[in-house]
Amino acid sequence: MTLQEYDYARESSSKLAASCLLLALTMKNLGGWTPTLEYYSGYSSQDLHPLVKRLNFLLTYQPRDKLKAVRTKYSHRVFFEVAKVTPMDMLKLEERLKSS
């Protein structure tokens, strides 16, 4: 979804990928950013927090009338219907990020 948004073009691919992983881990309550993830990604959890919040905001307030191809594709069972996952409440996300 970030490929369709100009605001994310300035972010490095590695930081974007790491932030997406942290958001997914947080959304599914699968743990936080471990020292191993920090070592191999090169990013601390604190480095990723602002981008994680922006990504969750993108999931929450996306335009529904245009650019539906990505959402349609990832709503399919083959892709585990990840486009149908409910975004986190911003306050809950903030709490979980602070606690990890």
Side-chain angles (χ1 to χ4, degrees), residues 6-60:
Y6 185 74
D7 292 342
Y8 294 90
R10 67 175 174 254
E11 300 294 343
S12 72
S13 299
S14 61
K15 188 172 186 179
L16 193 55
S19 297
C20 288
L21 177 59
L22 179 55
L23 179 59
L25 291 171
T26 306
M27 287 174 80
K28 290 296 190 177
N29 205 18
L30 296 174
W33 200 246
T34 65
T36 303
L37 290 170
E38 183 172 341
Y39 176 80
Y40 285 106
S41 71
Y43 297 106
S44 71
S45 178
Q46 268 55 36
D47 295 338
L48 303 175
H49 286 184
L51 187 51
V52 168
K53 292 174 192 174
R54 285 179 49 216
L55 289 167
N56 191 61
F57 186 81
L58 175 66
L59 292 173
T60 305

